[in-house]
């Protein structure tokens, strides 16, 4: 562990030691204007104010005067690396900057977190093999579980960037068209099978206009967040053929507030699982491009204690974010700084490592038992979900900040939409 | 027809009479900086310069100093209407502004057109029943052609906003994973079944956070463009199950350069086709929300004359753009100013009114004969496609400007992607 003059950063359990230095956007007090900051221990270093006061100068124009990290990402990987070195020096134990910079620290407990980036476009992948197999087994039986293309393509679809919200934002149960298997016709109502998906998000930090390799794709990734891809299973079941999920996934996608940089995760690099079918050359990884990051999901009914309902690891993903991004560019699709790539649900091989209630309750056949004595097949109003991620190093922890969302009851159906 | 002091606007065949007044972004001379303008006859009225010189003042801040119509759209429907009245007065025959404003006219022939809006997010629908039936028949046979949800939902999926380009932009044949029906495994190569889709685009001019009605959706639409949703059928066939089209549709989507406002299309309102299944109340239209607009597609091989390969009408769409937008908001999906909604391919009931080569050539079984003597099952390198739209009024025409794109050969496969 690297030690900081910010004492709270030096505990082995602290999610934000000097080794981490994740990037976020926060506000304090009455102002809701977002400022760029880096988390260190229990504090946030206010980079916007440091830049205003001339302690940071990364170019001709200010970089931290906007409410996102997009401008910083635009500066490119060399500046990402240089700035991280400067931060580690400035916040390291014994730094001569301690006296001055102490005035630029804000307590995390006093801060409200905002989206750390302007999400340009949002793509969601389906890169977890256990998840794809489980979902396929539920709907089509285990013999037809995995689609024929699954072992060849990191399957993805475009999501809705406007629906991405930061941790702590309440999520309203969606309305939509619902049709049960025995119904002749659909009806319009509130989703009864509202679910979470435990995912990670990779943030694209470099634009591209043409196809890039897996290595170039890895180089283009700026950092990672935890991501909950809220999903209305009943809306999805009726709408998704033939063009994929649409309104089932458009209510909200929650991300954790801190972008953990690729640099901070470097010690935790590991390989994706062994290939079960040889990949086409363009998708082969030149080195380890996954990460060993422990993940867990906790569910708390309204006013009650939380139960951890799933524990798994990021390294279960069959396709890395770099493979996903490479594939995304094959057709010439332009990628932009601020694009967000959801990993797909990260389920492990065992029942207690499944990343969605659809899988955990096996589509409602085996409801999940909570420590409170209650059961859950899908989410109920008032439930709060907390997704956590931790990479454990030698005497230190790299945390992401919780990814939290509470389910609000559906809106009343408007009069003009009633039957 | 309303008459203008810009004489070229007063011909019955002119696509841009005073009745139209479509909005675009253009540049002239060596500058590639886009300026906002309105088309009138053979000319463009330079609104950016008019605003700079104090002849237009729509609020505290300039509206036309950016390279898009997004800021103007943000002003809201009352200003849209007032500004149109002001333009009609200013450009109308006998206007006292003629002397001054004549200096702000630029010949369309001298202008380079840019994207008229910043596309925030792009959604593509599948709202043409003949198209859905044709495509379903080709892939699943006529008895299973229409998916069970099709008569209940305006089926849509999220597309890639970064791939939207303005008319005149060349389009490079995409690379991707291809697997023929008799192949065991996919290979990586250039699409051999590259196609067009004749569509319309509706531009969302008002943001919403909650579900809106069909009437509110119609009110929120700012205007329309022609849209060509380039599609790689072979990439799509292998990738699209279970989550829908992804790289097959990510190469490019071309739109025509002028936004024709809803106000200009008002005289052409007509109803969507008769419902074959009663819609849920929220999707019922309170009045006519389609338009009578003649559409055609011309294909010109490299260096040769064009053949018109399809003629159809916008009113063939089963679901209006207002119904599409309403459905888009059901789950609480936030919509933003500058969102673009593709209509889906607009095919008529007859063979010569089909809106894609997939349908026109019936998946290659019945190649289309061109006037040059050549045949086409799918697009060949060097082919130029021109999509046109015209609404014909009493002695005048509302045109959209051509939606043009030429197919360039695929890029060479990079060494690291070769087998």
């Amino acid at each position: 562990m690297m030690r900081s003059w910010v004492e709270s950063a030096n505990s082995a359990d602290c999610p934000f030691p000097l080794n981490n230095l994740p990037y976020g956007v926060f506000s304090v007090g009455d102002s809701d204007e977002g400022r760029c900051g880096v988390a260190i221990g229990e504090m946030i270093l206010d980079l916007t104010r440091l830049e205003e006061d001339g302690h940071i100068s990364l170019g001709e124009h200010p970089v931290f005067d906007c409410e996102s990290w997009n401008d910083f990402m635009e500066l490119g990987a060399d500046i990402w690396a240089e700035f991280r070195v400067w931060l580690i020096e400035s916040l390291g134990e014994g730094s001569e900057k301690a006296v001055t910079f102490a005035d630029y620290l804000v307590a995390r407990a006093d801060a409200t977190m905002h989206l750390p980036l302007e999400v340009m476009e949002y793509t969601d992948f389906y890169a977890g093999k256990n998840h794809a197999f489980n979902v396929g087994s539920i709907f089509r039986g285990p013999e037809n579980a995995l689609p024929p293309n699954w072992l060849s393509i990191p399957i993805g679809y475009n999501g809705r960037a406007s629906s991405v919200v930061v941790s702590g934002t309440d999520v309203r149960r969606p309305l939509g068209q619902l049709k049960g298997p025995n119904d002749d016709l659909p009806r319009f109502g509130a989703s009864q099978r509202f679910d979470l998906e435990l995912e990670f998000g990779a943030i694209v930090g470099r634009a591209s206009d043409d196809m890039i390799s897996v290595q170039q794709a890895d180089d283009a990734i700026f950092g990672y967040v935890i991501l909950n891809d809220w999903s209305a299973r009943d809306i999805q079941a009726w709408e998704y053929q033939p063009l994929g999920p649409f309104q089932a996934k458009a209510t909200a996608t929650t991300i954790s507030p801190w972008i953990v940089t690729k640099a901070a995760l470097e010690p935790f690099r590991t390989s994706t699982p062994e290939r079960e079918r040889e990949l086409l050359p363009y998708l082969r990884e030149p080195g380890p491009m996954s990460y060993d990051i422990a993940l867990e999901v906790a569910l708390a009914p309204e006013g009650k204690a939380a139960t951890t309902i799933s524990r798994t690891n990021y390294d279960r993903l069959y396709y890395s974010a770099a493979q996903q991004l490479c594939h995304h560019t094959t057709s010439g699709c332009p990628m932009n700084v601020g694009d967000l790539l959801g990993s797909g649900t990260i389920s492990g091989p065992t029942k207690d490592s499944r990343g969605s209630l659809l899988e955990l309750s096996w589509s409602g056949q085996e409801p999940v038992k909570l420590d409170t004595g209650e059961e859950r097949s899908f989410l109920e109003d008032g439930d709060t979900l907390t997704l956590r991620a931790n990479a454990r190093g030698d005497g230190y922890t790299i945390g992401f900040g919780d990814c939290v969302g509470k389910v609000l009851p559906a809106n009343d159906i408007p009069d003009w939409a009633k039957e």
Side-chain angles (χ1 to χ4, degrees), chain A:
Chain A
M1 171 191 244
M2 298 191 288
R3 294 185 64 82
S4 169
W5 53 263
V6 181
E7 266 307 322
S8 58
N10 298 329
S11 126
D13 288 333
C14 172
F16 305 125
L18 189 60
N19 304 60
N20 193 346
L21 301 177
Y23 299 140
V25 173
F26 70 99
S27 59
V28 279
D30 294 336
S31 167
D32 61 357
E33 196 179 326
R35 314 169 70 74
C36 291
V38 57
I40 179 76
E42 300 291 331
M43 311 302 281
I44 301 170
L45 183 66
D46 186 337
L47 300 172
T48 299
R49 203 151 68 82
L50 277 170
E51 188 181 55
E52 282 167 3
D53 293 351
H55 297 292
I56 298 174
S57 177
L58 291 169
E60 280 181 51
H61 304 289
V63 170
F64 296 125
D65 65 340
C66 62
E67 304 185 57
S68 83
W69 279 80
N70 296 52
D71 283 359
F72 178 81
M73 289 192 276
E74 291 277 5
L75 298 176
D78 289 347
I79 301 292
W80 306 349
E82 283 173 30
F83 187 65
R84 182 172 167 84
V85 167
W86 180 83
L87 277 177
I88 290 173
E89 285 172 3
S90 303
L91 290 167
E93 205 170 47
S95 167
E96 60 188 19
K97 296 210 175 73
V99 177
T100 314
F101 282 21
D103 286 344
Y104 293 83
L105 292 176
V106 173
R108 279 200 290 120
D110 296 339
T112 301
M113 299 305 298
H114 301 226
L115 274 180
L117 75 159
E118 186 186 355
V119 179
M120 299 306 290
E121 296 195 65
Y122 166 47
T123 309
D124 194 30
F125 285 85
Y126 189 55
K129 179 159 173 280
N130 295 306
H131 171 71
F133 183 81
N134 288 339
V135 171
S137 296
I138 290 170
F139 291 121
R140 294 182 295 272
E143 58 290 343
N144 297 310
L146 224 49
N149 53 22
W150 201 93
L151 292 172
S152 296
I153 302 182
I155 293 291
Y157 66 98
N158 298 297
R160 182 79 194 171
S162 67
S163 72
V164 179
V165 296
V166 73
S167 175
T169 308
D170 293 338
V171 174
R172 195 168 286 287
R173 179 184 297 277
L175 301 173
Q177 283 200 25
L178 313 170
K179 191 178 99 54
N182 302 318
D183 299 340
D184 285 339
L185 289 171
R187 64 187 179 83
F188 189 75
S191 170
Q192 300 302 307
R193 292 162 69 92
F194 196 43
D195 200 358
L196 77 140
E197 289 195 337
L198 168 61
E199 302 194 18
F200 246 51
I203 293 161
V204 177
R206 183 194 294 171
S208 56
D209 277 330
D210 269 323
M211 185 178 175
I212 59 175
S213 69
V214 174
Q215 182 61 58
Q216 289 168 326
D218 191 63
D219 294 344
I221 293 170
F222 179 66
Y224 291 86
V225 291
I226 314 171
L227 186 149
N228 181 358
D229 183 35
W230 303 84
S231 299
R233 303 295 177 191
D234 38 9
I235 295 172
Q236 186 174 352
W238 171 233
E239 78 174 357
Y240 92 108
Q241 288 285 8
L243 298 185
F246 183 47
Q247 289 304 287
K249 304 273 198 172
T251 303
T253 298
T254 304
I255 64 172
S256 53
W258 296 103
I259 303 173
V260 174
T261 62
K262 195 174 48 184
L265 293 173
E266 209 55 43
F268 307 96
R269 274 200 188 252
T270 184
S271 297
T272 44
E274 202 182 337
R275 302 296 101 180
E276 298 178 28
R277 180 191 296 165
E278 192 180 30
L279 291 175
L280 286 167
Y282 81 92
L283 278 175
R284 293 180 197 154
E285 293 174 302
M289 298 212 168
S290 192
Y291 298 96
D292 175 10
I293 305 170
L295 309 174
E296 62 176 53
V297 180
L299 190 159
E302 178 99 62
K304 295 191 180 161
T307 302
T308 300
I309 58 173
S310 181
R311 287 188 177 86
T312 181
N313 196 298
Y314 181 80
D315 66 10
R316 297 292 181 185
L317 280 176
Y318 192 82
Y319 294 103
S320 63
Q323 287 173 313
Q324 295 171 9
L325 176 54
C326 161
H327 180 72
H328 209 320
T329 65
T330 48
S331 67
C333 178
M335 303 302 298
N336 286 310
V337 171
D339 284 340
L340 174 67
L341 310 185
S343 63
T345 307
I346 308 166
S347 293
T350 58
K351 181 162 178 176
D352 58 359
S353 62
R354 296 171 184 163
S356 68
L357 278 168
L358 175 68
E359 295 163 87
L360 285 162
S361 76
W362 211 253
S363 194
Q365 292 173 46
E366 304 164 17
V368 176
K369 291 187 175 38
L370 304 182
D371 298 342
T372 57
E374 289 162 274
E375 292 187 340
R376 284 291 180 279
S377 290
F378 292 96
L379 295 169
E380 297 196 3
D381 293 344
D383 285 354
T384 294
L385 281 167
T386 303
L387 281 54
R388 293 193 184 91
N390 287 295
R392 305 227 178 251
D394 189 13
Y396 71 96
T397 303
I398 299 285
F400 285 72
D402 292 350
C403 179
V404 182
K406 179 177 172 176
V407 180
L408 300 184
N411 281 325
D412 291 338
I413 297 175
D415 282 341
W416 42 263
K418 285 186 178 147
E419 311 236 8

